[in-house]
Amino acid sequence: MTTEVAIIGDRFMLSEMFAAALHDACGDRITCKTLDLAWPDEPMEHGYAVPGMEGLKEYMGTPEMVLEHLGDAPVLVTHLAPLSRSVFEAAPMLKLVAVSRGGPVNVAMDAAADHKVLVVNTPGRNASAVAEFTIGAIITETRNITRGHEALREGTYRGDLYRSDVAGDELSDMTVGVIGYGAVGTRVVRLLRAFGTRILVCDPYVQLSAEDARAGVEHVSLDVLLQNSDVVSLHPRVTEETRGMIGAKELAAMKRGALLVNTARGPLMDYDALHDALVSGHLGGAMLETFAVEPTPPDLPLLQLPNVTLTPHIAGASLKTVRIAAAKAAEEVRRWLDGGPPLNPC
C-alpha cells in the first residue's frame, strides 16, 4: 500500500525537486501529486491582519487552494502554502506537514497541535548560501564595487575611487563583529577566518566552538562589539529580545565610518535611525538584504543614498538551498513512514 503525498511548491522550491527527493528517500512507498505557486514572480502575502489567517505570515495561496490539492492525503510537503486553522479543521486525514523553511511561519501551529498534526521544518537549509552572500556583501560595500558599477553604467569612470580617503580596507586588516552565532553566524565566522580577519562574536546563549576559539575569535558583549568593529553583521533570529536590537543608540555606539550589514531580518533594526546615521556620515555605509517592509516601497529613503547597497531578500536563493531543503523534508517523511521520531519537530 502506498501513501499519498501532496506537494505544494513554487518557482524556487520546485515541486519536482521535492518529488525527486521523496522518491529517493521513500522509494515506491509513496505517490506524489504536485502543484507549484507563482512565488517569487508574484509576491507572497503577510497576513498579519487577514481574518481567518491568524498566526500566519509569509505565505502564498488560500486555504481553499490547499484543501483542494490536499484531498485525503495524510502528508503535505510545502514551502509557502498557508495552513490556517480552517485547513486543519477540514482535513481530518492530514497527519504530517513538512515545511521547507527555517520556521513554520505559514502554519497555524496551535491549530496543528489541536488536531494532532505533526509539523516539521528544515532549519539551516540556506545557512551556507546566506553566509557566502554575507561575505560578498561585505566585500561589495567595503571595496566600492557598487559605486564603481553604478558610475560606469551612467557613463562615468570614477578614478577617484582609488583615493586613499575613499578606498576601503581589506578584510585581513579589519575587525568584523558577528551578532548571532547560529547556523549562519558560525559559517560567516568560518569564512572570515580564511581572510585573516579579526572576528568578534556576540551571542549570549552559545559558546564559541573549540576551533573558533583556538583561531582567536573573541566572544564579547554587544557594547564591545559595536565599539570595536569596522563591520557589524547581523545574524540572529527575530525574537522579542532581538526585535529592534539595533536602534539609534546602538548605531551611535558604532565606530565612525563603520559598515552595517543585515542579511538576516528587517525587524532586527530601526531603518529610520540607520538612514539618519548614514546621512550624517557617522556610518560609512550599509549593505541591506532585508527590510522592515517587503517588497520595499519605491520611495524608500535608503534607496536614494549613495553609500548603501540593497538587494531584494535573495541571500538564501541558491540551488544548494533547494536541494538541502528538499532532502530534509523527504527524510522527515521517510522517518514518519517508518514510525521513527522526527528530526526537526516544530
Side-chain angles (χ1 to χ4, degrees):
M1 180 177 177
T2 60
T3 298
E4 187 175 45
V5 178
I7 303 171
I8 303 179
D10 49 60
R11 293 172 185 169
F12 175 57
M13 288 298 311
L14 295 170
S15 61
E16 65 187 54
M17 297 288 284
F18 279 128
L22 283 161
H23 284 297
D24 285 345
C26 306
D28 58 5
R29 292 188 292 168
I30 62 166
T31 59
C32 297
K33 55 182 179 181
T34 62
L35 174 68
D36 283 311
L37 306 176
W39 187 83
D41 295 340
E42 296 179 12
M44 66 178 73
E45 300 289 340
H46 289 273
Y48 298 106
V50 178
M53 306 298 274
E54 292 81 5
L56 278 69
K57 57 183 179 179
E58 296 185 3
Y59 63 87
M60 169 166 273
T62 65
E64 294 75 19
M65 174 272 296
V66 174
L67 288 168
E68 180 179 357
H69 183 66
L70 179 64
D72 291 329
V75 178
L76 174 65
V77 177
T78 189
H79 182 217
L80 291 176
L83 279 295
S84 63
R85 178 169 288 276
S86 63
V87 170
F88 292 106
E89 291 174 346
M93 301 300 291
L94 183 60
K95 304 300 179 186
L96 173 67
V97 174
V99 180
S100 61
R101 308 182 71 174
V105 294
N106 52 318
V107 180
M109 290 301 299
D110 55 347
D114 290 345
H115 290 81
K116 296 181 171 54
V117 177
L118 173 64
V119 180
V120 296
N121 67 331
T122 58
R125 76 206 186 287
N126 62 3
S128 175
V130 176
E132 288 188 4
F133 190 96
T134 299
I135 301 302
I138 294 171
I139 294 174
T140 294
E141 190 61 28
T142 57
R143 301 298 300 280
N144 287 314
I145 293 174
T146 298
R147 255 69 69 198
H149 167 78
E150 290 181 346
L152 282 174
R153 288 190 59 142
E154 294 172 359
T156 300
Y157 190 91
R158 286 196 59 183
D160 66 299
L161 294 179
Y162 229 107
R163 289 172 52 118
S164 62
D165 59 343
V166 178
D169 217 332
E170 299 180 24
L171 279 171
S172 58
D173 283 332
M174 295 170 66
T175 297
V176 176
V178 176
I179 300 176
Y181 192 67
V184 176
T186 54
R187 285 169 172 80
V188 170
V189 170
R190 189 181 310 152
L191 293 173
L192 285 171
R193 283 170 42 199
F195 290 89
T197 307
R198 181 192 178 201
I199 306 166
L200 308 180
V201 170
C202 174
D203 191 324
Y205 300 105
V206 297
Q207 297 296 316
L208 295 178
S209 71
E211 183 180 3
D212 283 339
R214 286 194 298 269
V217 178
E218 302 170 54
H219 196 277
V220 299
S221 68
L222 179 61
D223 289 343
V224 170
L225 183 146
L226 294 174
Q227 293 166 12
N228 290 277
S229 297
D230 301 300
V231 177
V232 173
S233 189
L234 303 182
H235 301 287
R237 295 187 66 83
V238 177
T239 66
E240 289 307 310
E241 185 178 2
T242 63
R243 188 179 299 274
M245 68 180 299
I246 303 297
K249 175 184 175 183
E250 289 75 23
L251 295 170
M254 291 174 62
K255 294 172 63 174
R256 184 169 184 84
L259 165 71
L260 183 102
V261 175
N262 186 5
T263 58
R265 291 288 176 174
L268 294 170
M269 60 180 304
D270 182 338
Y271 281 92
D272 291 335
L274 174 64
H275 178 271
D276 293 344
L278 290 165
V279 170
S280 72
H282 177 67
L283 292 189
M287 194 288 163
L288 306 174
E289 151 72 357
T290 59
F291 305 89
V293 176
E294 296 179 3
T296 54
D299 59 350
L300 181 72
L302 287 165
L303 288 168
Q304 309 306 317
L305 299 184
N307 54 343
V308 180
T309 299
L310 305 101
T311 51
H313 205 153
I314 56 172
S318 78
L319 293 178
K320 182 175 181 177
T321 295
V322 177
R323 291 191 293 267
I324 290 174
K328 285 189 171 188
E331 174 61 14
E332 295 285 13
V333 175
R334 184 198 68 78
R335 295 172 74 89
W336 180 80
L337 290 172
D338 290 344
L343 290 174
N344 296 294
C346 299

